[in-house]
Amino acid sequence: TVPFLLIRQAEMGFVLQSSFTRSRRPRVCCCERFSPNQVEENSVQLPGHVALIPDGNGRWAEKRGLSRTEGHSAGSRTLEKVVNSCMRLEIPQVTVFVCSTENMNRPPREVSVLMELISEVVQILEKKPLVRFKWIGSSVHIPEVLRKRLDTTTKMTSRVNNPHEYVLQLTMAIDYGGRAEIADTARRLAVDVRDGKLAAEAVDEQTFDEYLRSESVSDPDLIIRTGGQKRVSNFLLWQSAYSEIYFSDTLWPDFDEEQVAEAFRWYGTRKRTYGLVK
Amino acid sequence: MLVEWTFGLLVVVVLVVLSRGRPVRKLVLAALRYSGDCPKHVAVIMDGNRRWARRKSMAFRDGHRRGGNTMVEFLTWCRDADISTITVYAFSIENFKRPKGEVDYIMDLAIQNVEDMLQPWSAVHKERIRVRFWGEMDMVPKTLRVLAAKLTCVTSKYEGASLNICFAYTSRVEIAQAIAAVTNAISDGIVPDEVNEELLAEFLESGTCRGGLKSDGWPDVLIRTSGETRLSDFLLWQSAFSHLAFLRVMWPDFNAFHYSRVVLSYRRAKADMDKRAARYQEYMRRKHTSQALPHETKEALYNIRHMYANNLATTAAGSC
């Protein structure tokens, strides 16, 4: 038989491919693949702060004919695996976008299952050594029970200390919106100005930075978004000014260690100039 | 006779298309326009001028010059591509830390380009493009500031496309200034509890891209050329939900074919976003149907509706 040519949609335009060589492996795409010449042979630089946007649970479940909530539980297992691999590579800080304010508008059954999953994951993380837990978010739509559990976990793990100097700071963004976070920080600044603790003229980028850092996370070096969508979706808007963004077509429950390593390898090839000349 | 007439018509069409120049580009953009959705607001980070110049063994200055030409050419075909707003990242505040010679050359180049745009035969006047400058124009030489103000003024009433040039711009500084404006307004009566996203968006300098002559909306797609996958402090607030398109082509080589690839990827992303939006709307619709309400509430609502149907209080009816 003559192998016929397919026109497949790649992430930018089309690709002509023979039907026999069509690869079933989910593709990694972030502005197409880089050429081998660009891979630097010397040290692979690991990011100091990784931000994860775990997208694709619902689609993964739909593909397998499961319910969306089962997709979310598979996602929580993947989250543990990814956090473990980050700990093995000694990444100091990991932030996960668990749940956005827009997500809270989903059917209440899905939302309550999500909340239960979060509390399960948090319980597991509590027992892990070397993990310091923190959560950011507006906390308006979260049930009281979950909020109490998150606060207790934060307090319990804040005293984690390691003689070998490595501790993973894990932050979960629950009911989080980037713009809302900036607006909340602006509100705190406004309250301080009204109370006289801060001069109105002193409000500038540095002051805002300080107020933001005291409540939230620092700038991520690498943002990984799975699930094929090429968006930032209101996650860490202020902090993501100079972070490298890695997009993967894999759905989150399928995102395994090999793909995490691929993401870090890609990060090692990036030249970060912060607007200056190299 | 029909054959002759058709042939004649064809010849005329071909001549017209060829005389206007760039027929292939016109065909490609027309195909894009008529085959589906096109993004209305496009944000571009014009990166890669120096790398392009190095590849062609030219000086960096020539790379910047060609990059400026590409931007002007982009303006000529942006209406063919059905774009109503373009926001470009011309110069960042961080770029001021580059070598002085390069910064001075870029300023001179900007002055030249703005002067060219002020000429009556430029694309800005032909396509009726309204130009605005966002950023810390205080940090910029006085000549450029004066010219930019003049260009903004001259084109302020144009109702064609809209061009926002971010010069000496950093998104963090923009957001910080909006917050400073809000906190300064505390003494004028703004209550801290009122400070929320909508208020901040109004105070953003580019918050006017939501109002003004036309409501442009936040960017639909953010294009970055030269292969870097970062935002580099550009429109952080505004691009929270926009599709990010990272291209490996260098900015001086950017043309309508690259743009058509961007539009195709935008359409695929939009299909997914629309599906999500439809799911959310379906859920909200089901939430609001009266089947969910208890019986007494339904009865009360019926009575109220009945009462208001007699026009007793039409203004207060609201959504009842």
Side-chain angles (χ1 to χ4, degrees), chain A residues 199-254:
Chain A
E201 299 81 34
V203 175
D204 63 352
E205 198 188 330
Q206 277 78 26
T207 332
F208 182 83
D209 239 2
E210 285 164 33
Y211 271 71
L212 188 66
R213 303 256 179 276
S214 64
E215 287 288 309
S216 179
V217 292
S218 61
D219 296 354
D221 292 318
L222 173 64
I223 299 179
I224 301 178
R225 176 161 189 150
T226 60
Q229 289 298 306
K230 311 240 184 328
R231 288 195 292 272
V232 176
S233 280
N234 209 13
F235 182 49
L236 295 183
L237 293 183
W238 179 277
Q239 294 93 327
S240 65
Y242 287 103
S243 20
E244 302 289 331
I245 310 176
Y246 179 85
F247 294 117
S248 173
D249 273 352
T250 331
L251 302 172
W252 175 248
D254 292 331

Short mmCIF file of all heavy atoms in Angstrom, two decimals, chain A residues 199-254:
data_model
loop_
_atom_site.label_atom_id
_atom_site.label_comp_id
_atom_site.label_asym_id
_atom_site.label_seq_id
_atom_site.Cartn_x
_atom_site.Cartn_y
_atom_site.Cartn_z
N ALA A 199 3.13 57.28 53.56
CA ALA A 199 2.85 58.53 52.85
C ALA A 199 2.33 58.20 51.46
O ALA A 199 2.79 57.27 50.82
CB ALA A 199 4.13 59.36 52.76
N ALA A 200 1.40 59.00 50.98
CA ALA A 200 0.81 58.73 49.67
C ALA A 200 1.85 58.86 48.57
O ALA A 200 1.78 58.18 47.55
CB ALA A 200 -0.36 59.67 49.42
N GLU A 201 2.86 59.72 48.77
CA GLU A 201 3.88 59.91 47.73
C GLU A 201 4.83 58.73 47.69
O GLU A 201 5.54 58.54 46.71
CB GLU A 201 4.72 61.17 47.99
CG GLU A 201 3.94 62.47 48.01
CD GLU A 201 3.25 62.68 49.34
OE1 GLU A 201 3.81 62.26 50.37
OE2 GLU A 201 2.15 63.24 49.33
N ALA A 202 4.87 57.95 48.77
CA ALA A 202 5.83 56.85 48.82
C ALA A 202 5.33 55.62 48.09
O ALA A 202 6.02 54.61 48.04
CB ALA A 202 6.12 56.49 50.28
N VAL A 203 4.13 55.68 47.55
CA VAL A 203 3.59 54.50 46.85
C VAL A 203 4.18 54.44 45.46
O VAL A 203 3.89 55.27 44.62
CB VAL A 203 2.05 54.59 46.77
CG1 VAL A 203 1.52 53.44 45.95
CG2 VAL A 203 1.47 54.55 48.16
N ASP A 204 5.04 53.48 45.23
CA ASP A 204 5.58 53.29 43.88
C ASP A 204 5.85 51.80 43.69
O ASP A 204 5.38 50.98 44.47
CB ASP A 204 6.84 54.13 43.67
CG ASP A 204 7.95 53.71 44.61
OD1 ASP A 204 7.67 52.87 45.50
OD2 ASP A 204 9.07 54.20 44.48
N GLU A 205 6.61 51.49 42.67
CA GLU A 205 6.80 50.08 42.31
C GLU A 205 7.45 49.29 43.44
O GLU A 205 7.06 48.18 43.74
CB GLU A 205 7.65 50.01 41.04
CG GLU A 205 7.57 48.70 40.32
CD GLU A 205 8.57 48.65 39.19
OE1 GLU A 205 8.87 49.72 38.64
OE2 GLU A 205 9.04 47.55 38.88
N GLN A 206 8.46 49.90 44.09
CA GLN A 206 9.17 49.17 45.14
C GLN A 206 8.27 48.90 46.34
O GLN A 206 8.28 47.82 46.91
CB GLN A 206 10.41 49.94 45.61
CG GLN A 206 11.63 49.75 44.77
CD GLN A 206 11.56 50.56 43.50
OE1 GLN A 206 10.89 51.57 43.46
NE2 GLN A 206 12.26 50.11 42.48
N THR A 207 7.51 49.91 46.74
CA THR A 207 6.62 49.74 47.88
C THR A 207 5.59 48.65 47.59
O THR A 207 5.32 47.80 48.42
CB THR A 207 5.86 51.04 48.20
OG1 THR A 207 6.62 52.14 47.77
CG2 THR A 207 5.53 51.12 49.65
N PHE A 208 5.05 48.72 46.39
CA PHE A 208 4.07 47.70 46.03
C PHE A 208 4.69 46.33 46.04
O PHE A 208 4.08 45.36 46.51
CB PHE A 208 3.50 48.01 44.64
CG PHE A 208 2.46 47.05 44.21
CD1 PHE A 208 1.15 47.21 44.62
CD2 PHE A 208 2.78 45.96 43.42
CE1 PHE A 208 0.18 46.31 44.23
CE2 PHE A 208 1.82 45.06 43.04
CZ PHE A 208 0.52 45.23 43.45
N ASP A 209 5.93 46.25 45.53
CA ASP A 209 6.66 44.99 45.54
C ASP A 209 6.76 44.44 46.96
O ASP A 209 6.51 43.26 47.21
CB ASP A 209 8.07 45.24 45.00
CG ASP A 209 8.35 44.39 43.78
OD1 ASP A 209 7.44 43.65 43.36
OD2 ASP A 209 9.47 44.47 43.27
N GLU A 210 7.17 45.30 47.90
CA GLU A 210 7.34 44.84 49.28
C GLU A 210 6.03 44.32 49.84
O GLU A 210 5.97 43.26 50.46
CB GLU A 210 7.81 45.99 50.17
CG GLU A 210 9.27 46.36 50.01
CD GLU A 210 9.53 47.73 50.62
OE1 GLU A 210 8.87 48.06 51.63
OE2 GLU A 210 10.35 48.47 50.06
N TYR A 211 4.96 45.07 49.64
CA TYR A 211 3.66 44.65 50.18
C TYR A 211 3.22 43.34 49.56
O TYR A 211 2.64 42.47 50.22
CB TYR A 211 2.60 45.73 49.89
CG TYR A 211 2.50 46.78 50.97
CD1 TYR A 211 3.51 47.72 51.15
CD2 TYR A 211 1.40 46.83 51.79
CE1 TYR A 211 3.41 48.67 52.14
CE2 TYR A 211 1.28 47.80 52.78
CZ TYR A 211 2.30 48.71 52.95
OH TYR A 211 2.20 49.65 53.92
N LEU A 212 3.50 43.19 48.26
CA LEU A 212 3.07 41.97 47.58
C LEU A 212 3.87 40.77 48.07
O LEU A 212 3.33 39.71 48.36
CB LEU A 212 3.23 42.14 46.07
CG LEU A 212 2.66 41.03 45.21
CD1 LEU A 212 1.16 41.00 45.34
CD2 LEU A 212 3.06 41.23 43.77
N ARG A 213 5.20 40.96 48.20
CA ARG A 213 6.04 39.83 48.59
C ARG A 213 5.72 39.36 49.99
O ARG A 213 5.89 38.19 50.30
CB ARG A 213 7.52 40.21 48.54
CG ARG A 213 8.02 40.71 47.24
CD ARG A 213 8.83 39.69 46.48
NE ARG A 213 9.24 40.26 45.22
CZ ARG A 213 8.47 40.27 44.13
NH1 ARG A 213 7.30 39.72 44.15
NH2 ARG A 213 8.89 40.83 43.03
N SER A 214 5.27 40.29 50.84
CA SER A 214 5.02 39.88 52.22
C SER A 214 3.84 38.92 52.30
O SER A 214 3.77 38.09 53.19
CB SER A 214 4.76 41.11 53.09
OG SER A 214 3.59 41.75 52.64
N GLU A 215 2.90 39.00 51.36
CA GLU A 215 1.74 38.11 51.41
C GLU A 215 1.80 36.99 50.39
O GLU A 215 1.19 35.95 50.55
CB GLU A 215 0.45 38.91 51.13
CG GLU A 215 0.04 39.80 52.25
CD GLU A 215 -0.49 39.02 53.43
OE1 GLU A 215 -1.38 38.17 53.21
OE2 GLU A 215 -0.01 39.22 54.54
N SER A 216 2.53 37.23 49.31
CA SER A 216 2.42 36.31 48.18
C SER A 216 3.80 35.73 47.87
O SER A 216 4.72 35.84 48.65
CB SER A 216 1.84 37.07 46.99
OG SER A 216 1.75 36.21 45.90
N VAL A 217 3.93 35.14 46.69
CA VAL A 217 5.17 34.47 46.33
C VAL A 217 6.09 35.41 45.56
O VAL A 217 5.67 36.46 45.10
CB VAL A 217 4.89 33.24 45.46
CG1 VAL A 217 4.19 32.17 46.25
CG2 VAL A 217 4.04 33.62 44.27
N SER A 218 7.34 34.99 45.41
CA SER A 218 8.30 35.79 44.64
C SER A 218 8.15 35.46 43.16
O SER A 218 7.28 34.69 42.77
CB SER A 218 9.71 35.49 45.12
OG SER A 218 9.99 34.13 44.91
N ASP A 219 9.03 36.05 42.34
CA ASP A 219 8.88 35.87 40.90
C ASP A 219 9.24 34.46 40.47
O ASP A 219 10.31 33.98 40.79
CB ASP A 219 9.80 36.84 40.16
CG ASP A 219 9.43 38.27 40.40
OD1 ASP A 219 8.39 38.50 41.05
OD2 ASP A 219 10.17 39.16 39.96
N PRO A 220 8.37 33.80 39.70
CA PRO A 220 8.74 32.48 39.20
C PRO A 220 9.77 32.59 38.09
O PRO A 220 9.75 33.54 37.30
CB PRO A 220 7.43 31.91 38.68
CG PRO A 220 6.55 33.07 38.44
CD PRO A 220 7.00 34.15 39.36
N ASP A 221 10.68 31.62 38.02
CA ASP A 221 11.63 31.57 36.92
C ASP A 221 11.02 30.86 35.72
O ASP A 221 11.34 31.17 34.58
CB ASP A 221 12.89 30.81 37.34
CG ASP A 221 13.69 31.58 38.38
OD1 ASP A 221 13.81 32.79 38.23
OD2 ASP A 221 14.16 30.94 39.34
N LEU A 222 10.15 29.91 35.99
CA LEU A 222 9.59 29.10 34.92
C LEU A 222 8.12 28.86 35.21
O LEU A 222 7.77 28.50 36.32
CB LEU A 222 10.33 27.76 34.84
CG LEU A 222 9.78 26.71 33.88
CD1 LEU A 222 9.89 27.18 32.46
CD2 LEU A 222 10.57 25.42 34.06
N ILE A 223 7.28 29.11 34.22
CA ILE A 223 5.87 28.80 34.35
C ILE A 223 5.58 27.66 33.37
O ILE A 223 5.87 27.79 32.18
CB ILE A 223 4.99 30.01 34.00
CG1 ILE A 223 5.29 31.16 34.95
CG2 ILE A 223 3.52 29.66 34.08
CD1 ILE A 223 4.48 32.40 34.66
N ILE A 224 5.04 26.57 33.88
CA ILE A 224 4.71 25.43 33.03
C ILE A 224 3.20 25.35 32.93
O ILE A 224 2.52 25.25 33.95
CB ILE A 224 5.24 24.10 33.62
CG1 ILE A 224 6.75 24.19 33.77
CG2 ILE A 224 4.87 22.94 32.72
CD1 ILE A 224 7.35 22.95 34.37
N ARG A 225 2.67 25.40 31.72
CA ARG A 225 1.24 25.23 31.54
C ARG A 225 0.99 24.00 30.70
O ARG A 225 1.44 23.93 29.55
CB ARG A 225 0.62 26.45 30.86
CG ARG A 225 -0.84 26.19 30.62
CD ARG A 225 -1.66 27.40 30.39
NE ARG A 225 -3.08 26.98 30.37
CZ ARG A 225 -4.09 27.74 30.75
NH1 ARG A 225 -3.87 28.96 31.16
NH2 ARG A 225 -5.31 27.29 30.70
N THR A 226 0.26 23.04 31.23
CA THR A 226 -0.09 21.84 30.46
C THR A 226 -1.47 22.03 29.87
O THR A 226 -2.14 23.02 30.12
CB THR A 226 -0.11 20.60 31.37
OG1 THR A 226 -1.08 20.82 32.38
CG2 THR A 226 1.24 20.41 32.01
N GLY A 227 -1.90 21.09 29.04
CA GLY A 227 -3.26 21.14 28.52
C GLY A 227 -3.41 21.87 27.21
O GLY A 227 -4.52 22.00 26.71
N GLY A 228 -2.32 22.35 26.62
CA GLY A 228 -2.41 22.87 25.26
C GLY A 228 -2.85 24.31 25.10
O GLY A 228 -2.66 24.89 24.04
N GLN A 229 -3.41 24.93 26.10
CA GLN A 229 -3.84 26.30 25.97
C GLN A 229 -2.65 27.23 26.16
O GLN A 229 -1.82 27.02 27.03
CB GLN A 229 -4.90 26.64 27.02
CG GLN A 229 -6.22 25.98 26.77
CD GLN A 229 -6.82 26.44 25.47
OE1 GLN A 229 -6.98 27.63 25.23
NE2 GLN A 229 -7.12 25.51 24.60
N LYS A 230 -2.56 28.27 25.33
CA LYS A 230 -1.40 29.16 25.41
C LYS A 230 -1.83 30.47 26.04
O LYS A 230 -1.98 31.49 25.37
CB LYS A 230 -0.84 29.40 24.00
CG LYS A 230 -0.64 28.13 23.23
CD LYS A 230 0.77 27.95 22.85
CE LYS A 230 1.01 26.74 21.99
NZ LYS A 230 0.17 25.58 22.18
N ARG A 231 -2.07 30.42 27.33
CA ARG A 231 -2.54 31.60 28.05
C ARG A 231 -1.90 31.61 29.41
O ARG A 231 -1.44 30.59 29.91
CB ARG A 231 -4.05 31.54 28.30
CG ARG A 231 -4.92 31.74 27.14
CD ARG A 231 -6.32 32.01 27.64
NE ARG A 231 -6.91 30.86 28.28
CZ ARG A 231 -7.59 29.91 27.65
NH1 ARG A 231 -7.69 29.96 26.35
NH2 ARG A 231 -8.11 28.92 28.31
N VAL A 232 -1.94 32.78 30.06
CA VAL A 232 -1.47 32.86 31.43
C VAL A 232 -2.63 32.75 32.40
O VAL A 232 -2.46 32.38 33.55
CB VAL A 232 -0.69 34.18 31.64
CG1 VAL A 232 -0.27 34.36 33.06
CG2 VAL A 232 0.52 34.19 30.74
N SER A 233 -3.84 33.05 31.93
CA SER A 233 -5.08 32.84 32.71
C SER A 233 -5.03 33.48 34.08
O SER A 233 -5.43 32.88 35.05
CB SER A 233 -5.36 31.34 32.90
OG SER A 233 -5.93 30.81 31.78
N ASN A 234 -4.55 34.72 34.16
CA ASN A 234 -4.69 35.47 35.41
C ASN A 234 -3.93 34.82 36.56
O ASN A 234 -4.39 34.81 37.70
CB ASN A 234 -6.19 35.54 35.77
CG ASN A 234 -6.51 36.79 36.54
OD1 ASN A 234 -5.70 37.69 36.62
ND2 ASN A 234 -7.67 36.82 37.14
N PHE A 235 -2.75 34.27 36.27
CA PHE A 235 -1.96 33.63 37.32
C PHE A 235 -0.67 34.40 37.50
O PHE A 235 0.10 34.55 36.56
CB PHE A 235 -1.66 32.17 36.92
CG PHE A 235 -0.88 31.40 37.95
CD1 PHE A 235 -1.27 31.40 39.28
CD2 PHE A 235 0.22 30.66 37.59
CE1 PHE A 235 -0.56 30.69 40.23
CE2 PHE A 235 0.94 29.93 38.53
CZ PHE A 235 0.53 29.95 39.85
N LEU A 236 -0.41 34.89 38.70
CA LEU A 236 0.84 35.57 39.03
C LEU A 236 1.18 36.64 38.01
O LEU A 236 2.24 36.64 37.40
CB LEU A 236 2.01 34.57 39.11
CG LEU A 236 1.94 33.53 40.22
CD1 LEU A 236 3.19 32.70 40.19
CD2 LEU A 236 1.77 34.17 41.57
N LEU A 237 0.26 37.56 37.77
CA LEU A 237 0.47 38.55 36.71
C LEU A 237 1.67 39.44 37.01
O LEU A 237 2.55 39.61 36.19
CB LEU A 237 -0.78 39.42 36.55
CG LEU A 237 -2.01 38.70 36.02
CD1 LEU A 237 -3.12 39.70 35.86
CD2 LEU A 237 -1.73 38.03 34.71
N TRP A 238 1.71 39.98 38.20
CA TRP A 238 2.82 40.89 38.53
C TRP A 238 4.14 40.15 38.54
O TRP A 238 5.16 40.62 38.03
CB TRP A 238 2.54 41.55 39.88
CG TRP A 238 3.60 42.47 40.35
CD1 TRP A 238 4.76 42.15 40.99
CD2 TRP A 238 3.61 43.89 40.23
NE1 TRP A 238 5.49 43.27 41.26
CE2 TRP A 238 4.81 44.36 40.81
CE3 TRP A 238 2.73 44.82 39.66
CZ2 TRP A 238 5.13 45.71 40.86
CZ3 TRP A 238 3.06 46.16 39.73
CH2 TRP A 238 4.25 46.59 40.31
N GLN A 239 4.13 38.96 39.12
CA GLN A 239 5.38 38.24 39.33
C GLN A 239 5.89 37.60 38.04
O GLN A 239 7.07 37.25 37.96
CB GLN A 239 5.19 37.12 40.38
CG GLN A 239 4.88 37.62 41.77
CD GLN A 239 3.40 37.70 42.02
OE1 GLN A 239 2.63 37.97 41.11
NE2 GLN A 239 2.99 37.47 43.24
N SER A 240 5.04 37.42 37.05
CA SER A 240 5.47 36.68 35.86
C SER A 240 6.09 37.59 34.82
O SER A 240 6.18 37.23 33.66
CB SER A 240 4.28 35.96 35.23
OG SER A 240 3.35 36.92 34.75
N ALA A 241 6.51 38.79 35.22
CA ALA A 241 7.01 39.75 34.23
C ALA A 241 8.17 39.20 33.42
O ALA A 241 8.24 39.40 32.22
CB ALA A 241 7.41 41.05 34.93
N TYR A 242 9.10 38.53 34.05
CA TYR A 242 10.29 38.05 33.34
C TYR A 242 10.43 36.54 33.40
O TYR A 242 11.52 36.03 33.18
CB TYR A 242 11.55 38.74 33.89
CG TYR A 242 11.63 40.17 33.47
CD1 TYR A 242 11.32 41.20 34.35
CD2 TYR A 242 11.98 40.51 32.17
CE1 TYR A 242 11.37 42.51 33.95
CE2 TYR A 242 12.03 41.83 31.76
CZ TYR A 242 11.73 42.82 32.65
OH TYR A 242 11.77 44.13 32.24
N SER A 243 9.37 35.83 33.70
CA SER A 243 9.53 34.37 33.77
C SER A 243 9.35 33.73 32.40
O SER A 243 8.57 34.20 31.58
CB SER A 243 8.53 33.76 34.75
OG SER A 243 7.46 34.59 34.98
N GLU A 244 10.10 32.67 32.20
CA GLU A 244 9.98 31.89 30.97
C GLU A 244 8.70 31.06 31.04
O GLU A 244 8.36 30.54 32.08
CB GLU A 244 11.17 30.95 30.83
CG GLU A 244 12.50 31.64 30.84
CD GLU A 244 12.75 32.42 29.57
OE1 GLU A 244 12.22 32.02 28.53
OE2 GLU A 244 13.45 33.43 29.62
N ILE A 245 8.00 31.00 29.94
CA ILE A 245 6.73 30.27 29.91
C ILE A 245 6.88 29.06 29.02
O ILE A 245 7.30 29.17 27.87
CB ILE A 245 5.60 31.18 29.39
CG1 ILE A 245 5.60 32.50 30.14
CG2 ILE A 245 4.26 30.49 29.55
CD1 ILE A 245 4.58 33.47 29.63
N TYR A 246 6.55 27.91 29.55
CA TYR A 246 6.67 26.65 28.82
C TYR A 246 5.28 26.07 28.63
O TYR A 246 4.56 25.84 29.60
CB TYR A 246 7.55 25.69 29.63
CG TYR A 246 7.74 24.34 29.02
CD1 TYR A 246 8.73 24.12 28.07
CD2 TYR A 246 6.96 23.26 29.42
CE1 TYR A 246 8.92 22.87 27.53
CE2 TYR A 246 7.15 22.01 28.87
CZ TYR A 246 8.14 21.83 27.93
OH TYR A 246 8.33 20.59 27.39
N PHE A 247 4.89 25.85 27.39
CA PHE A 247 3.57 25.29 27.12
C PHE A 247 3.71 23.84 26.70
O PHE A 247 4.55 23.51 25.88
CB PHE A 247 2.88 26.06 26.00
CG PHE A 247 2.55 27.47 26.37
CD1 PHE A 247 3.12 28.53 25.69
CD2 PHE A 247 1.66 27.75 27.37
CE1 PHE A 247 2.83 29.83 26.02
CE2 PHE A 247 1.36 29.05 27.71
CZ PHE A 247 1.95 30.09 27.03
N SER A 248 2.87 22.99 27.24
CA SER A 248 2.89 21.59 26.86
C SER A 248 1.50 21.16 26.44
O SER A 248 0.51 21.56 27.04
CB SER A 248 3.35 20.75 28.06
OG SER A 248 3.24 19.39 27.75
N ASP A 249 1.45 20.36 25.37
CA ASP A 249 0.15 19.86 24.91
C ASP A 249 -0.38 18.72 25.74
O ASP A 249 -1.53 18.34 25.63
CB ASP A 249 0.27 19.36 23.46
CG ASP A 249 0.05 20.47 22.47
OD1 ASP A 249 -0.34 21.56 22.91
OD2 ASP A 249 0.26 20.23 21.28
N THR A 250 0.47 18.13 26.56
CA THR A 250 0.03 17.01 27.39
C THR A 250 -1.02 17.48 28.36
O THR A 250 -0.95 18.58 28.89
CB THR A 250 1.21 16.49 28.23
OG1 THR A 250 2.41 16.73 27.54
CG2 THR A 250 1.05 15.03 28.53
N LEU A 251 -1.99 16.62 28.63
CA LEU A 251 -2.95 16.94 29.66
C LEU A 251 -2.34 16.66 31.02
O LEU A 251 -1.49 15.79 31.15
CB LEU A 251 -4.23 16.10 29.45
CG LEU A 251 -4.87 16.33 28.07
CD1 LEU A 251 -5.98 15.34 27.85
CD2 LEU A 251 -5.37 17.75 27.95
N TRP A 252 -2.79 17.37 32.03
CA TRP A 252 -2.08 17.33 33.32
C TRP A 252 -1.94 15.93 33.93
O TRP A 252 -0.87 15.60 34.42
CB TRP A 252 -2.74 18.29 34.31
CG TRP A 252 -2.17 18.21 35.68
CD1 TRP A 252 -2.79 17.74 36.80
CD2 TRP A 252 -0.86 18.61 36.08
NE1 TRP A 252 -1.95 17.82 37.87
CE2 TRP A 252 -0.76 18.35 37.47
CE3 TRP A 252 0.25 19.14 35.43
CZ2 TRP A 252 0.39 18.62 38.20
CZ3 TRP A 252 1.40 19.41 36.17
CH2 TRP A 252 1.46 19.14 37.52
N PRO A 253 -2.99 15.07 33.92
CA PRO A 253 -2.77 13.75 34.54
C PRO A 253 -1.71 12.92 33.82
O PRO A 253 -1.16 12.00 34.40
CB PRO A 253 -4.15 13.09 34.44
CG PRO A 253 -5.11 14.20 34.36
CD PRO A 253 -4.41 15.26 33.59
N ASP A 254 -1.40 13.26 32.55
CA ASP A 254 -0.37 12.51 31.83
C ASP A 254 1.01 13.12 31.97
O ASP A 254 1.95 12.64 31.38
CB ASP A 254 -0.71 12.48 30.33
CG ASP A 254 -1.93 11.64 30.06
OD1 ASP A 254 -2.17 10.69 30.83
OD2 ASP A 254 -2.63 11.94 29.08
#
